[in-house]
Amino acid sequence: MTTIKLIALDLDNTLLLPDKTLSHRNKCILQTLHHHHIKIVLTTGRPLPNTKPILDQLNFTEKDDYVILFNGGLIKNLSNNNILLNKYFSIKHIQHILLILKSLSLPIDLVTQNHVYSIKEYGQSAYSQLISRSLPYSQINLSVLNTHTNFQFNKFVVCATSEQLSHLEKILSNSPLTNNQFNFVRSRRTLLEFIPKNVNKALALNALLEHLSLTPNNLMAFGDEENDIEMIKLARIGVAMGNAIPKVKAVADFQTLDNVHDGVSEFLESYFRNITLNQHKKAPE
């Protein structure tokens, strides 16, 4: 059997409970596997401040411990904060999409590594309710942004109803200009995320695997949404959550329980039963 040496985990609606917390069971199995030299890589659309509370609980600080943020746009080392990969936008890159959003009366939020900026002229979105208080959120005028040529952000998002986002996706899919500038993907039914072209979780994982002298044959991945599809397909063992959308389940090798019932630990405890058989339900010392 192929040796799994790296486990990639989406956070929201995959590893985390619906209240965005890490269960004791999931924490224990991940710490146990990490103790046995299996790399655990959180692979999320979140920026670091929104991911750090989970990282702090897991306490992975070895020299080859990494986190993948912004749906693959940023790879960061957890022991020394060195950046392995960083893909970002400037405001000039999104002028075309700004016109489309304005015509549809849709809001837009720009997400940097440490801050979220809502463009005031486009209205207040519900995105501020989806992010934790650890990430500052403020409104800013587009005219101000246009004067800051060095302003960089790793992703931008549109938070709206599922129907509004489906309509926007249809428009964008028929626009060669936007297709050449960025990728867009749902991270939840009411959130459409935009990342630079040629950025996704699978490409970031490929870069990290190569850096660690591993291959996709050493990879296991868990996910539930559209932004997880590429990494599920890349992995030797791709696992869809019980609550995953049909597209994810269609490409996965296995399906586990939903995130409410600790589907991640349910699968890992079974797959790595030779490691977990004699482990108590507590983190290794």
Side-chain angles (χ1 to χ4, degrees):
M1 183 177 67
T2 302
T3 301
I4 298 299
K5 296 183 178 180
L6 192 153
I7 301 172
L9 295 146
D10 173 56
L11 285 184
D12 296 301
N13 298 317
T14 297
L15 178 63
L16 302 184
L17 295 168
D19 64 0
K20 310 301 181 185
T21 61
L22 178 66
S23 74
H24 178 72
R25 185 182 178 191
N26 279 347
K27 175 184 175 181
C28 287
I29 184 61
L30 294 184
Q31 289 185 322
T32 295
L33 294 175
H34 185 265
H35 182 70
H36 284 81
H37 310 295
I38 296 172
K39 293 299 178 188
I40 308 298
V41 180
L42 304 186
T43 310
T44 176
R46 296 182 179 199
L48 184 60
N50 281 16
T51 310
K52 195 173 184 302
I54 308 303
L55 292 169
D56 288 344
Q57 291 181 65
L58 293 171
N59 194 31
F60 297 157
T61 56
E62 295 181 2
K63 65 177 182 179
D64 285 332
D65 283 329
Y66 288 86
V67 63
I68 294 176
L69 306 162
F70 296 112
N71 287 316
L74 183 68
I75 305 176
K76 194 163 190 176
N77 185 288
L78 295 176
S79 65
N80 56 25
N81 289 320
N82 285 346
I83 292 176
L84 181 63
L85 175 75
N86 187 20
K87 302 287 187 179
Y88 52 82
F89 294 106
S90 66
I91 198 69
K92 67 180 180 181
H93 292 141
I94 67 167
Q95 294 300 318
H96 183 63
I97 184 77
L98 286 174
L99 293 175
I100 293 175
L101 296 179
K102 191 70 172 178
S103 69
L104 296 174
S105 299
L106 288 174
I108 180 173
D109 296 285
L110 313 179
V111 188
T112 73
Q113 292 188 37
N114 299 297
H115 204 106
V116 177
Y117 296 92
S118 172
I119 299 183
K120 193 171 185 179
E121 293 91 332
Y122 288 73
Q124 178 72 57
S125 79
Y127 186 62
S128 60
Q129 302 169 22
L130 301 180
I131 60 175
S132 73
R133 294 180 179 179
S134 60
L135 193 65
Y137 185 96
S138 58
Q139 288 193 313
I140 191 169
N141 290 320
L142 181 59
S143 59
V144 174
L145 288 175
N146 284 329
T147 63
H148 287 74
T149 57
N150 293 326
F151 177 71
Q152 299 172 351
F153 47 101
N154 291 86
K155 73 175 182 179
F156 61 97
V157 303
V158 177
C159 187
T161 68
S162 181
E163 293 75 17
Q164 287 175 309
L165 295 184
S166 294
H167 181 57
L168 175 60
E169 286 176 308
K170 184 176 181 180
I171 293 174
L172 296 177
S173 296
N174 293 320
S175 173
L177 181 58
T178 54
N179 286 336
N180 290 332
Q181 292 176 332
F182 46 71
N183 294 330
F184 55 91
V185 65
R186 297 268 189 117
S187 58
R188 60 181 67 199
R189 291 300 86 197
T190 58
L191 189 65
L192 191 63
E193 302 200 9
F194 296 78
I195 49 181
K197 193 68 178 176
N198 298 321
V199 168
N200 61 49
K201 293 183 179 183
L203 291 172
L205 280 166
N206 255 328
L208 181 57
L209 288 166
E210 183 177 355
H211 178 73
L212 297 174
S213 299
L214 300 175
T215 75
N217 281 331
N218 303 122
L219 176 65
M220 178 185 289
F222 291 79
D224 73 294
E225 261 291 354
E226 286 184 16
N227 60 335
D228 301 315
I229 289 175
E230 290 90 351
M231 75 169 181
I232 294 289
K233 292 169 66 175
L234 173 70
R236 175 66 180 85
I237 304 292
V239 186
M241 303 301 294
N243 53 288
I245 63 172
K247 287 181 180 180
V248 174
K249 292 179 179 179
V251 300
D253 302 294
F254 299 95
Q255 182 176 323
T256 186
L257 300 179
D258 60 30
N259 64 316
V260 176
H261 296 95
D262 288 336
V264 168
S265 53
E266 181 75 15
F267 187 89
L268 292 176
E269 288 166 3
S270 175
Y271 188 89
F272 293 101
R273 58 186 176 273
N274 59 320
I275 292 177
T276 61
L277 185 62
N278 297 318
Q279 292 286 337
H280 296 294
K281 296 292 184 179
K282 66 176 184 178
E285 297 179 356

